[in-house]
Amino acid sequence: MDRTTWQKSESIEAGILLALTGGILDAYSFLARGGVFANAQTGNIVLLGVYLAQGQYEKAARYIVPIVAFAVGILMAEAIKNRYRKRRNTAFHWRQIVITIEFLLLVIVAFLPQEMNTIANVLVSFVCSLQVQTFRKIHRITCATTMCTGNLRSGVEALYLYHQTGEKEYQRKGLGYLGVDLVFLVGAAAGTFAAFQWEEKAVLVSCVLLFLAFLVMLIREEES
């Protein structure tokens, strides 16, 4: 049997842990690392345009870096998938390899001082892009665990279709999408608290959640 058939990386438990991580990382990068959004790059692109228009090129450069890092992370996730997805003799599923990389990079971020915020934001953006590219489904719902806009659109659309048709599947999907965003919100609140309490070290909370997600995938894999 193909490993992707019985890998449980799309479980609700793993999805909750990853969505919490996404919310924490966005709050962390904004509050503890100089006002940069690490997950969705829309805000960074807008601020890049604003500062370029104002001729503030030094400030603009601060937002170019995480955007590029995000793009590189997408390429890395695809490279890992293409290399390990069909291998049967590897110890772990390729998604667990991605989580391990995320974990290690965030541990490094935790020990970078404020003077190295640019590097910290590069690494956090890289981690977020790995996650958004690697984990696209939770319990058969295609969604994102590092950003909310697409989930919000899909959730409201599904609930509208449920109201129109009465089909329970639309209700399940709608509530699922909005549930992911709610968990992300909880993660952002937790990230805010952690950033005020532990500053740079607050990102270690995300490391704990990623480790738990790794274990959830491993335990469920063995149970399959």
Side-chain angles (χ1 to χ4, degrees):
M1 180 183 295
D2 188 352
R3 291 177 65 88
T4 56
T5 301
W6 43 265
Q7 170 57 230
K8 300 301 181 181
S9 58
E10 299 172 6
S11 68
I12 293 176
E13 296 90 340
I16 289 173
L17 292 167
L18 292 170
L20 285 172
T21 298
I24 289 171
L25 290 179
D26 233 10
Y28 172 80
S29 65
F30 187 79
L31 294 172
R33 292 298 184 177
V36 173
F37 292 105
N39 291 355
Q41 297 301 309
T42 303
N44 292 333
I45 292 172
V46 170
L47 291 171
L48 171 62
V50 168
Y51 287 122
L52 285 176
Q54 294 176 346
Q56 300 184 49
Y57 302 117
E58 184 175 346
K59 288 185 176 180
R62 184 173 64 177
Y63 294 96
I64 293 175
V65 176
I67 294 170
V68 173
F70 193 92
V72 173
I74 298 294
L75 297 176
M76 172 74 75
E78 284 299 298
I80 293 172
K81 180 177 70 174
N82 289 335
R83 180 168 183 176
Y84 293 102
R85 179 174 54 181
K86 295 182 179 180
R87 292 192 179 184
R88 298 172 183 269
N89 58 348
T90 55
F92 301 109
H93 189 273
W94 70 271
R95 290 188 176 94
Q96 290 170 298
I97 295 174
V98 171
I99 283 187
T100 302
I101 294 172
E102 290 185 48
F103 177 90
L104 294 175
L105 291 178
L106 292 180
V107 169
I108 293 172
V109 170
F111 294 95
L112 295 178
Q114 285 292 311
E115 294 76 16
M116 301 180 71
N117 275 353
T118 298
I119 296 176
N121 286 322
V122 165
L123 294 177
V124 173
S125 291
F126 184 79
V127 165
C128 290
S129 63
L130 286 175
Q131 184 164 311
V132 74
Q133 186 68 9
T134 302
F135 300 93
R136 301 186 184 186
K137 290 184 178 181
I138 299 176
H139 199 53
R140 303 191 307 276
I141 295 176
T142 302
C143 61
T145 58
T146 62
M147 56 192 72
C148 295
T149 305
N151 298 336
L152 180 61
R153 182 202 65 80
S154 298
V156 173
E157 178 187 34
L159 290 178
Y160 173 79
L161 292 173
Y162 168 67
H163 176 72
Q164 292 294 107
T165 65
E167 292 187 22
K168 291 291 186 179
E169 182 65 11
Y170 286 127
Q171 182 188 47
R172 183 189 70 82
K173 287 184 177 181
L175 294 177
Y177 284 120
L178 299 183
V180 173
D181 280 359
L182 178 60
V183 173
F184 185 95
L185 174 63
V186 172
T192 299
F193 175 80
F196 285 134
Q197 290 292 116
W198 303 305
E199 299 178 342
E200 296 89 353
K201 302 295 190 301
V203 76
L204 292 175
V205 177
S206 294
C207 294
V208 173
L209 295 174
L210 288 172
F211 178 69
L212 292 175
F214 182 95
L215 291 181
V216 165
M217 293 169 60
L218 186 63
I219 293 170
R220 284 181 165 270
E221 178 178 303
E222 292 176 348
E223 291 175 349
S224 298

